Amino acid sequence: MIDTYDVAIIGAGVSGLYAAYKMREQGFTVRGFDAAAGIGGTWYWNRYPGARFDSESYSYQYSFSQAIVNEWQWSEKFAGQPEIERYLNFVADRLDLRREFELGSRVETLRYDEASQMWEIVTAAGRRAMARYVVAATGFLSAPQPPDYEGEGDFKGLTAHSARWPREGIDVRGKRVGVIGSGPTAVQIVQSVAPDAGHLTLFQRTANWCTPLRNTQLTAAEQQELAAQASDIVALCKRTFAGFIHDMDPRMSTEVTDKAERLAKYQELYERGGFALWFANYSDMFTNRDFANEVSEFLAEKIRNRVNDPATAEKLIPKNHPFGTKRPPGEKNYYEIFNRDNIELVDLRATPVTRITPTGVETTAGSHELDILIYATGFQSLTGALLRMDIRGENGVTLQEKWSDGPRTHLGVQIAGFPNFFVTSGPHHPAVFCNATRCAETVIEWIADCLVHMRNNGRTVIQSTPGAEEHWTEYCYNSVKGLIIEDMRDSWFFGNNNPDNKAEKRFLLWAGSVPDFNLTYADVAAQGYRGFEIR
Ligand code: NAP
């Protein structure tokens, strides 16, 4: 007899854990699968040196369980990966969720059986199970994407993608280390590794606008205060544009005519840290190019002041996009790292990589001999985790076929032709701006309510109508129009790293505010799941 469940959950990360808890609480039988050997999803895999939150710890934690809120205290304003992994394991144990998951179990195939209206799940090890519903809690940045340089695989030293960092760690002491990439991950790695490495070479294709994170250890008094404010913090995050504690200044930059006053504000936000310069700035941050350019110039001056060598400083100042068009990496002493004599910055636009060799990286300017090569090259964002599985909906149509011209969804949560299949954090989600846990809780609660609604009404099948899907997909594409983000298509928001992105780079997310996102979901449910066919 094949094991049969109400809900199969793929992924034991932030979304998957909560999905398992929520569905079980609603009386559904649940089975979770995760390829990783442990709980944590993103926070299991991304164990590279320096990995930590870019959301303030108390704004990222779960809010659904008062017991969890009461029993956990964060030691840092922006907790590091080991503490976050401990937190998610604590949640799994405290809520007895571990027994719902099969770890080390990679789902390879998902096939919808129209006769039984059930999904068949097959793992890499050949384990088979059936479930009425599938919740793909597979994450939007979980399918690592190394570059396809010639000679890939020839390197004889140690190599790792940042999101597949070995559990035992990598000893960089005294070694010649190369890092390819200069996004938020690379910034965290570089500032952590540089002091210990013998020599560090950063291969940068595009400079990014980094802003200070301003992490601090929390004192016992601060922990107490933050724990007491936990529900207020979540309530605040429900109101703010991006689900963070930072709230936009209601004024437009154009209303503040005194430049000195605007600069003083940028300075105050720069001091505040986290995403303050982005999410607590004037409210035309996402639409006004002149204003974005002014903030960029403010940051460029900071870089010039912090980096001793003017030529290096210029390389570190982005030239092809203004501040605010990509998620800014949070840094500590990133720019000062380039004043060390054991670091070299290679500009890959001036001298592209020609091949990976057994002993390092060769560019058009020569060879860089390395002991360790780190790929901080990002992900097949948003679509990768789903497209790397073999998912077959009605009439055996594969997701690859369905999305051959780009992803199509309704609300980011369902795909026409794939009944009873839900996605928690894939394309058309507001992840451009969203604090991940805040948005995950909304989506999972919406799915759970939907399943309860169906059960109460004796229904067993739900899927998006093609019309609603068409409408939502267009709505997502259009949501970026007029925003400065549209100017920078070389980011994971547009799937710049995605091999499936054959056509013109399309916007893969929904560029709305978190309150709008919450309202939209609530509204669709209140209207009897508008745009979904329930039978
Ligand atoms: P990313 O932002 O996509 O950056 C990837 C980097 O690799 C970019 O610098 C990219 O250059 C470079 N790259 C890609 N392919 C390359 C190639 N073939 N040759 C040379 N360079 C190449 O990925 P990420 O840094 O892992 O961050 C992804 C997202 O994860 C972030 O936006 C953030 O949302 C999240 N994140 C959060 C935290 C946190 O603090 N909680 C930490 C890390 C990441 P181009 O820009 O030229 O493409």
Side-chain angles (χ1 to χ4, degrees), residues 42-43 46 48 50-55 60 79 84 140-141 145-149 161-163 180-188 203-208 213 275 320-321 326-330 348-349 353 375-379 381 431-432 488 490-493 496-497:
T42 283
W43 300 109
N46 286 270
Y48 59 81
R52 65 175 62 253
F53 280 151
D54 54 14
S55 321
Y60 188 100
I84 306 165
F140 37 78
L141 295 161
Q145 189 62 46
D148 60 350
Y149 292 134
H161 188 281
S162 52
I180 303 185
S182 50
T185 298
V187 167
Q188 291 183 332
F203 297 93
Q204 171 188 279
R205 194 165 63 181
T206 311
N208 277 300
L213 191 65
F275 282 138
N320 65 348
H321 65 286
K326 295 169 76 178
R327 279 178 85 97
L348 291 185
R349 296 217 184 252
V353 172
Y375 292 108
T377 47
F379 301 87
S381 63
V432 197
M488 183 49 181
D490 272 336
S491 84
W492 63 264
F493 302 164
N496 70 325
N497 227 359

Side-chain angles (χ1 to χ4, degrees), residues 12-25:
V14 169
S15 299
L17 280 183
Y18 181 38
Y21 173 77
K22 188 75 189 167
M23 303 305 162
R24 192 179 68 186
E25 285 293 287

Side-chain angles (χ1 to χ4, degrees), residues 175-181 190 197 199-204 338 342-346 361 368-370 372-374:
K175 302 280 178 25
R176 298 166 302 174
V177 181
V179 176
I180 303 185
V190 164
H199 188 268
L200 178 65
T201 310
L202 175 63
F203 297 93
Q204 171 188 279
F338 294 92
N342 71 335
I343 182 145
E344 182 181 358
L345 177 62
V346 175
V361 173
H368 299 268
E369 302 295 300
L370 303 169
I372 298 169
L373 177 55
I374 299 170

Side-chain angles (χ1 to χ4, degrees), residues 56-61 72-74 218 223 226-227 233:
E56 286 75 2
S57 308
Y58 278 88
S59 74
Y60 188 100
Q61 68 182 5
W72 185 266
Q73 288 183 331
W74 295 100
L218 295 172
Q223 284 176 326
L226 286 162
I233 293 172

